[in-house]
Structures are given as C-alpha cells and as structure tokens.
Amino acid sequence: MAIPLPFGNYLARNTAIHRIDARVKLLLVVMYVYALFACSTWAGLLAALCILGVLFIVACIPVRMALRGLKPIFFILVFTFLANALTFSASETALVAGHMAVGAVPLDNATAEAMQTAYAEERYQLLSLPFVGQVFFLDLPQSVPLIGSFGIKPLGIIKGLYFVLRISLLVLTTSLLTYTTSIVSLTDAISKLLAPLRAFKVPVEDIAMVFTIALRFIPLTASEAEKLMVAQSARGATFNQGGLVKRAKAWIPVMIPLFVNLFRRADHLAQAMESRCYVGRGRTQLAHSRIKGTDICWAVIGSAVLIAIGIFL
Amino acid sequence: MEPTLLEFKNIDFSYPHHGKNEPSVEFATSGNRLAAQKTLCNVGFNIERGERVVLLGANGSGKSTLAKLANGLLLPTDGQVVVDGISSWQHDYLLELRKNVGLVTQDPDNQIVSTTVFDEVAFGPQNLGWKPKRIYETVSQSLEHVGLSEDVYAGRDPNSLSGGEKQRVVIAALLAMQPNYLVLDEPTSMLDPAARMQVLKAIASAAKRGQGILHITHRLEEAVKADRVLILYRGRLCYNGKPEDILGNKEALIRFGLRAQLHVRRASEVAEPIKHSSLTLSDVSFSYPNSPSKLPVFEDMNLELKAGECHLLVGASGSGKSTLLTLAAGLAKPSKGTVLLDDNTPLPGEVGLVFQHPESQLFAQTIKEDILFGPRNLGMQVEEAGDALVNRVLTLVGLDPDKFRHRSPFSLSGGEARRVAIATVLALGTDFFLLDEPTAGLDARGRVFIFELLQSLLAKGKGIMVATHDPEFFLPLATGRREL
C-alpha cells in the first residue's frame, strides 16, 4: 500500500557528475534546454543526445532507470509524433524537394535556381529538411492518402521524430539532474540562486525555509497516511471498491485525521522553531559547498559547448 | 554578581478559553471555582546550574504548560520566570529566556526542522547569528555530547534515524545554542528502553557539564537519580525535596496520581460465546516488497494464540512487532507461511487491532459515529442495536456513555481519546485483540486502566496479544511471551 512520492529518485553515488555543485548543474540544465531549442538541425540534436548519453554513462545510471523518466510523458510523445505524421487533408499532387544542409550553409546559385524552378513548376514542394548534406530531390509524395483525405505525411514522420527526440532529451536532462543531485542540495542551490532577489524584497530565506520544511514533512505525512489506511482497514474500511463517490468517501477516515495531525504538528513545529529563537531574520548563512575549480571548468566548458550547438547547429 | 538560577516566582496560569469546552465538573465541588480553572496555581521553585531536577506529575497536572512557561512560549497570568537575574521587565527578556533555556518536547518529529542532522543542530546557532566558525565548532561538540559521531551523522536525513537518535539530535540542537538550562518535557515517552537509556545518559552528562536540568516526566524510575524532585498535582506544587524522601511513600504517590493500585482479580466476568478458538501463525516470513535489501523482517515465525490467552510480544523498536500484528490481523500477506483464524485466513475486521497511539485515527463528528464506523463496514445492522453497542463499549473503557456519546472525538484529553480509540476497536466484537504499545505515553492511572481492561477481556474468554516495551507490567496477565 506504499504511496509513491513525487520525488526522491536520487541515486546516491560518488561520480564526477554527482560531485558537481548543484548550482552549476542547474545552470547547465538551463543551457542544455537553450541548446535544444536554439539548434535547428538533426546534427545539433544528435550532438545533444550524445552528450547526454555520455553523462548518463559517467553518472553510472542504468539505461532502464534513465528511460524511466519518459514513462509519464509516453502519451505526449505518441501524440506529438502522430500529429506530425498524419494529416486530414492528404492529396497526391505535390512531391517533396529536400534541402539538406548543415545549419546555415549558403546554397550555390545553380542549386538554388534548380530548386526555384522545381518549386515554380509545382512538381515539388520546397521543404528545408535539417540534415547534413546538399540539395536533393526526392520523389516522395507530400502526403499519402489512406482513407479519403486522411493520410500520412512521409516528411511529417521525420519531423515528428525530431520533436519526439527533442522533448525526450528535455525530460531526460532533468532526470539526470534529479538522479545525481539530492533534493536537499537542490533546494539549497535554488535558494542561493534566488539570493539576488533579496534586493527586491523577496523573502528568499522564508521561501527556502518553506521548501525545507515541506521536504522534511512530505515523507513523514506519506507514512502517516499509510499507517492510517492500515488502521482504518483494520476496522473494515475498503478503499478500492464501489463507484467514484463511494471511493472518494472511503478516504474521509484517512484524510480527516491526517489533516488534524498535520495541523497539530505544524503548531508544535512552530513552537519548536520559536523556542530556538527563529525570527526569520538575521540568520547566519553557512556556505555548505564552495564552488570548486572543477565546478567552474564544468560551467565554462559545458556552457560553451551548449551555446555552440545552439548557434551553429 | 548575577544570580545563576532559573527562578519560577509564584506562577499562576490559566488558558483564556479554559472551561468553555469542558465544564470542570470534578473541580466544581471543591468550592473555589476560580482557583479550579487555573492550570497552574502559585507554583514557585528554583533550579541551579548543574542541578538535575525531576518534575513528576500525572497526565493533566499542568506539566507541559510549565515547560512552555519556562521557555517563554507562554507567559504567566501572574508571577514570572527569571533567568540568571533577567526578569520580564527587562529589554529583550524573551530572547534572553529562549537563549538561556532550551526546551525539548515529547515527539522529536515535531521538533526537527531541517533535512540533514548538521543543518538541524546548526539551526539554533544560525538563528542567533553566530559566526560560521563558532557554529561549526558547536555543532561537532554537541553531537559528541549526545554520543552521535559527526562523521557518521552530520549528513544523514533525520527521517532515516531511529526515535532515540532523533531525540538525541533534538537535544544536541539545543546544546549547540549553549543554554544554561534545559527543560525536557517527557523526552523519553515515545522511546524503547534502549533508546530511553541513551537519552537519559545525554541528559545526565549535560548536568555534569554544569547545565541546570528540569526533566518533566511521569515515570518514577527516572526520578531516582535526580538531585531534587518536584511533584505537580492539579496545577499546584505539592513536593519539593529529595527523591528518597518521597519515592518510598506509596500513599502520597498514589494520591498524586503517580502510582496506581493494580487489582489483579480472578475471573469474575461471565465468559461470552466465542466464535473462533485460535489464531495461528505457521512458518510466517515477511519482507517488505519495496525494501532494497529484501531482508526479511522475520523468518519462520510460529505462534499460536488461543481464546482466553494473553501473549506478550517483546523487542526493540523496529524489530517487527507492529508488522507481526498487522500480518496476524490479516491486513498484510506474509511472504511465506500462513495466518489462520481457526481454519481460514482472517479478513480485515475479523481480528481487532489497536495500533500505537490509536487516538490519532479518530475522525468522525461524534464519538458514537466513530465507534459505529467499524461495525457498519462489516455490514452489521447498527441502526437498532447501535446505541446499545456504543453504551456497552464506552462503559467497558470506563467512560460515561451519556456524557461522551455525542461529544466530538477531537475535544477529548489524551487519556480519554486513547480510551475512545480502543472502544472503536472493541465495537467490532472480535474474539482476538492485538494491541501495539497500548500504554505508550499514559500515566500510572492510564496504565492501570489498560491492565484492567485486558484483564476483563481475558475473563470474557477473548484472546489477546500485546506488543510492549514493558513486559513486566503485563506479566500477571501473560500466558506466553515471545522475543523478537
């Protein structure tokens, strides 16, 4: 009857990736996301994929666990793919001309002219296909009708795969972050990165304290809920029978005491904090983790590579 | 020279809303209504640095209120708390009081704020704005004082610690603020005997280092080694002197609710008809499916409980007592082996199970509804027989049905809530009752109530299994004992 927690997938290891300062890791995740969206070619995406693959290997995270992050977005991926690959207005008229190029490589005049002509003749529809190479002409139909006007777009399949890979990488990079960074150092990092906002009267310390307390009490509350479920089943309560209303009602004997206990706990905790002179102001800030030389290397080299991917690929 | 004393000067205290919810029937007869509503009345005593004072009092005597007054969480209605000569009209009095008097309460989970042991111990000093260097020093020193090695514990998540370790972290967190006095409000009441010894050791060593200790408890054995004993009874200080002069005085202790007479009776009750005659565990093994180690909690456990028998289940926290009871009640499936009630696997509700601190599962609007929750789930026709059933179980747990039936379960005192919670399980009318630490946190009278309840259930022919840290107490009832 264990209740799954929304986080806590930290894998405690001692690898180079685990040792990077959480602030640096957060920065690199942001840069990675930038690279994913700024690059417009398969080359860029494949480079990003390789980088992430290597990082997962260095961090000693098994493939099965790495891919687990994709499970919740499986349907989004399928939908993205189908939305690109299928069309409701299929016709066989236009064929496809592909333009294979690396990023912004300029076309020579002859090729450009040939494409213009083909396009003008309406034999081909001009599409820029982000790939390495040069101009090519494919005798691919733009779409293949299956039933009536409903059909598939061969190029949409490629485009769909492109988007699917991009979303997957986006998710995988955040799982790499949570697999290699404990939630404690993560909140610590977030509150440190937010620190400049103090100048704008944002109560950064209070926010950090709220996060910390939430992190401490979520597992506790989950185990309490579990205990209450067992205790009420001992009195014959069932939680998975009947219709929606009945099921919802069955949770009342768990939720009410859970909340009552939670409020009571909050009260006690507030007193414990007060009695230890907590006023929210004037606290000593302890630098738990100093940024080390290696962290700076990671930040600089990582950002440079990712920016390069974003600009040139 | 400044006096080095924590002084409680003629303290009066009454809660502003007191008496609204619970008309104090038992006090009304005493004549002086005004005095009766006071939680504390003219309480005065001193504690010196290095002195270890134990304050004894039954549940509801005003102990916890006193603890909160000592630390400035509450302010007295009359009188005042003076710490090292700093009295309430001085500037920054509250801050000085809190800096100088550390407060530890019962449940460590309600006191730990941070997500690592280091952060927790550093929390107080950080609040005081100390220099980082001083904080690092005081953290490692205080962890050492409570017997937790900094290398092992500093980075640990408090959620992964045992109860005794957590409570020692709480004490270390207060020691780190270097207060001159420590007030501990029943710091051991949620711990098993081994953990209790460790916490008591940490307290004793704090006194040796020159801190004044006020240790509040209802356990007489914790008072034996004290320098001085105070007794609080119904809000008044009734004794202030050496432990040896009072701990042998049985009548006085009974009068103050610190001891209670056990009445071991022969079976005088009429045995009720029993539907099931035995609860058997054969070759039962259990391991948590999600536990990474897959280590079994226990293996090849054999146990047979017959109607009219009482088995004690003894072992440290985490030894699997609660798990065993959950299996025996049919609420979890063993990894191996069988649990049989006569010849069938027990269904939920066929074996009565009273969890630790059962009062935390009360939820209904009235006590009556809470009691009928179980029987309704089991499909009993409670509409006609309901009232009779409620009356019977409330009487069984020693509460007046007419007074309690329609009250909210959230308006009860701790002891009353425990009784009602047990009544909700008794209402299932099962032949076997399993209880997990039923006396945890109860004072002498509460414990005697549990003893007598079990005694009368046994006399009715019910079978009982009790998981407990305190097997000696139940020994007169026990027919079997199992160490885990």
Side-chain angles (χ1 to χ4, degrees):
Chain A
M1 255 190 259
I3 295 170
L5 295 176
F7 56 80
N9 43 7
Y10 174 59
L11 285 176
R13 303 259 159 89
N14 190 12
T15 72
I17 311 287
H18 283 76
R19 283 193 299 266
I20 304 175
D21 188 278
R23 280 165 285 183
V24 172
K25 274 191 263 191
L26 271 173
L27 169 81
L28 289 178
V29 166
V30 172
M31 296 313 294
Y32 190 87
V33 172
Y34 157 77
L36 281 183
F37 282 93
C39 82
S40 54
T41 65
W42 276 93
L45 217 51
L46 290 176
L49 175 68
C50 290
I51 291 174
L52 200 64
V54 170
L55 294 179
F56 265 107
I57 291 166
V58 175
C60 294
I61 292 165
V63 181
R64 197 172 40 84
M65 293 204 74
L67 294 180
R68 196 184 282 169
L70 296 180
K71 225 165 125 192
I73 59 155
F74 180 72
F75 284 103
I76 296 178
L77 294 180
V78 170
F79 179 79
T80 309
F81 178 73
L82 293 180
N84 278 288
L86 301 179
T87 174
F88 286 97
S89 53
S91 63
E92 276 177 281
T93 51
L95 294 174
V96 173
H99 161 212
M100 292 162 97
V102 181
V105 173
L107 298 172
D108 60 78
N109 285 344
T111 355
E113 211 169 287
M115 291 186 78
Q116 291 275 319
T117 329
Y119 184 61
E121 286 171 6
E122 289 187 2
R123 280 202 299 122
Y124 294 99
Q125 201 169 13
L126 192 60
L127 271 175
S128 177
L129 185 66
F131 213 88
V132 191
Q134 43 169 229
V135 174
F136 68 105
F137 290 89
L138 276 174
D139 278 337
L140 275 178
Q142 200 218 344
S143 54
V144 182
L146 295 174
I147 308 157
S149 65
F150 176 73
I152 53 170
K153 292 190 288 184
L155 267 183
I157 294 177
I158 298 173
K159 218 163 131 194
L161 286 176
Y162 184 83
F163 286 130
V164 165
L165 183 59
R166 183 148 86 180
I167 300 172
S168 304
L169 289 178
L170 193 68
V171 172
L172 289 176
T173 176
T174 51
S175 3
L176 179 64
L177 178 72
T178 53
Y179 277 134
T180 59
T181 320
S182 77
I183 210 82
V184 177
S185 33
L186 207 55
T187 41
D188 210 36
I190 292 173
S191 66
K192 290 226 171 77
L193 290 175
L194 287 178
L197 292 180
R198 229 174 284 166
F200 302 100
K201 302 217 164 153
V202 176
V204 177
E205 279 108 358
D206 290 346
I207 294 173
M209 186 53 76
V210 167
F211 269 116
T212 312
I213 291 176
L215 287 178
R216 167 144 163 67
F217 281 92
I218 288 170
L220 214 61
T221 309
S223 80
E224 218 155 82
E226 210 177 312
K227 272 187 211 148
L228 281 167
M229 276 176 77
V230 180
Q232 304 299 23
S233 2
R235 292 160 74 190
T238 48
F239 297 97
N240 43 17
Q241 279 173 19
L244 205 60
V245 178
K246 199 176 167 204
R247 276 174 195 230
K249 266 193 176 162
W251 282 92
I252 293 177
V254 174
M255 294 319 272
I256 290 183
L258 190 66
F259 273 90
V260 169
N261 295 340
L262 209 55
F263 284 128
R264 205 170 280 162
R265 218 182 253 292
D267 207 31
H268 283 288
L269 189 73
Q271 284 185 348
M273 290 170 73
E274 209 182 319
S275 75
R276 282 154 74 192
C277 305
Y278 180 79
V279 282
R281 281 169 282 108
R283 303 192 70 219
T284 310
Q285 295 295 313
L286 292 177
H288 273 306
S289 47
R290 281 220 180 119
I291 300 245
K292 302 177 294 287
T294 43
D295 292 324
I296 295 173
C297 284
W298 274 103
V300 172
I301 298 173
S303 306
V305 170
L306 292 168
I307 290 174
I309 291 176
I311 292 177
F312 297 116
L313 294 180
Chain B
M1 213 182 97
E2 291 291 327
T4 51
L5 277 180
L6 178 63
E7 300 166 80
F8 291 77
K9 287 187 166 172
N10 306 65
I11 304 262
D12 272 14
F13 186 83
S14 45
Y15 285 96
H17 58 272
H18 197 272
K20 201 162 67 184
N21 293 335
E22 21 187 317
S24 41
V25 180
E26 45 183 323
F27 294 130
T29 46
S30 73
N32 189 348
R33 265 197 74 88
L34 206 67
Q37 287 189 358
K38 282 182 188 167
T39 310
L40 292 175
C41 186
N42 199 24
V43 173
F45 61 93
N46 296 337
I47 293 169
E48 283 175 43
R49 290 194 197 166
E51 196 185 17
R52 196 167 148 209
V53 178
V54 168
L55 184 135
L56 293 166
N59 292 353
S61 57
K63 301 194 298 288
S64 297
T65 306
L66 194 72
K68 286 180 190 167
L69 285 163
N71 182 259
L73 286 173
L74 293 173
L75 291 174
T77 322
D78 204 3
Q80 64 166 320
V81 179
V82 179
V83 61
D84 291 348
I86 303 168
S87 53
S88 61
W89 47 79
Q90 252 150 302
H91 182 63
D92 272 349
Y93 163 73
L94 265 189
L95 184 67
E96 287 301 319
L97 188 62
R98 285 176 189 166
K99 260 202 266 191
N100 281 303
V101 183
L103 175 65
V104 177
T105 57
Q106 275 184 36
D107 186 353
D109 273 332
N110 287 342
Q111 300 168 80
I112 296 179
V113 185
S114 313
T115 37
T116 66
V117 168
F118 177 90
D119 283 343
E120 183 58 24
V121 181
F123 178 81
Q126 277 181 289
N127 290 339
L128 297 176
W130 289 1
K131 292 248 158 46
K133 186 164 172 281
R134 189 174 171 198
I135 296 182
Y136 287 114
E137 279 168 13
T138 190
V139 168
S140 58
Q141 202 176 39
S142 352
L143 281 173
E144 191 188 309
H145 284 329
V146 297
L148 299 172
S149 129
E150 192 190 2
D151 297 336
V152 179
Y153 285 94
R156 295 261 312 259
D157 177 355
N159 285 324
S160 72
L161 302 180
S162 74
E165 288 169 330
K166 280 188 208 175
Q167 194 64 293
R168 281 188 284 159
V169 168
V170 170
I171 294 174
L174 288 163
L175 293 179
M177 297 171 75
Q178 301 171 354
N180 293 321
Y181 306 93
L182 266 188
V183 176
L184 305 105
D185 185 9
E186 300 197 31
T188 63
S189 73
M190 305 188 76
L191 306 178
D192 68 24
R196 182 177 299 145
M197 290 313 294
Q198 292 164 341
V199 167
L200 291 177
K201 214 173 117 195
I203 296 172
S205 83
K208 276 208 194 89
R209 284 191 308 274
Q211 275 157 326
I213 306 285
L214 178 62
H215 177 181
I216 299 174
T217 180
H218 56 66
R219 304 182 73 98
L220 294 176
E221 68 269 25
E222 294 184 345
V224 176
K225 284 186 185 161
D227 296 322
R228 194 145 53 91
V229 167
L230 309 173
I231 292 178
L232 199 62
Y233 177 66
R234 292 193 174 177
R236 286 169 192 275
L237 194 64
C238 296
Y239 179 81
N240 183 350
K242 289 199 177 324
E244 53 269 30
D245 293 343
I246 185 77
L247 293 179
N249 188 341
K250 206 168 155 192
E251 286 90 63
L253 293 177
I254 290 176
R255 192 166 70 244
F256 297 138
L258 297 168
R259 276 188 73 155
Q261 206 72 46
L262 269 186
H263 303 285
V264 183
R265 288 170 304 193
R266 298 276 155 263
S268 59
E269 316 233 357
V270 189
E272 286 177 3
I274 297 283
K275 298 182 285 288
H276 305 283
S277 60
S278 73
L279 181 63
T280 330
L281 281 75
S282 353
D283 302 322
V284 167
S285 301
F286 185 79
S287 60
Y288 283 103
N290 296 332
S291 119
S293 57
K294 298 268 176 201
L295 234 81
V297 184
F298 39 74
E299 267 181 307
D300 300 324
M301 170 72 73
N302 286 293
L303 228 161
E304 190 183 15
L305 181 64
K306 288 214 170 70
E309 285 185 347
C310 174
H311 280 236
L312 302 182
L313 214 52
V314 191
S317 300
S319 62
K321 299 194 300 285
S322 311
T323 312
L324 186 68
L325 295 185
T326 314
L327 288 173
L331 296 172
K333 279 207 171 62
S335 323
K336 245 175 47 204
T338 51
V339 178
L340 291 178
L341 180 63
D342 282 352
D343 301 318
N344 301 309
T345 309
L347 298 170
E350 279 192 329
V351 174
L353 177 52
V354 178
F355 279 94
Q356 214 174 122
H357 298 282
E359 55 276 14
S360 71
Q361 35 175 295
L362 298 173
F363 70 97
Q365 288 191 338
T366 63
I367 288 170
K368 177 183 163 186
E369 286 304 307
D370 226 313
I371 290 174
L372 291 181
F373 175 71
R376 276 203 184 114
N377 286 331
L378 300 184
M380 289 181 200
Q381 291 303 313
V382 290
E383 301 322 318
E384 309 97 56
D387 275 324
L389 178 64
V390 172
N391 289 355
R392 204 180 62 211
V393 293
L394 279 178
T395 315
L396 204 56
V397 297
L399 296 174
D400 179 359
D402 294 326
K403 240 168 74 183
F404 282 91
R405 197 170 27 208
H406 297 295
R407 272 178 69 177
S408 158
F410 298 113
S411 72
L412 304 174
S413 74
E416 290 167 346
R418 174 75 53 92
R419 290 171 190 235
V420 169
I422 292 175
T424 64
V425 176
L426 295 178
L428 298 169
T430 54
D431 298 324
F432 290 92
F433 288 102
L434 318 177
L435 301 99
D436 194 358
E437 299 291 349
T439 54
L442 293 183
D443 64 6
R445 283 189 190 148
R447 285 151 56 86
V448 165
F449 149 71
I450 297 282
F451 185 94
E452 290 178 348
L453 176 70
L454 296 190
Q455 189 166 243
S456 74
L457 287 174
L458 285 170
K460 286 185 176 143
K462 310 277 185 188
I464 289 174
M465 187 142 59
V466 187
T468 179
H469 293 320
D470 190 8
E472 281 69 35
F473 179 71
F474 291 105
L475 216 52
L477 300 176
T479 54
R481 174 180 165 138
R482 173 62 62 95
E483 305 276 343
L484 272 185

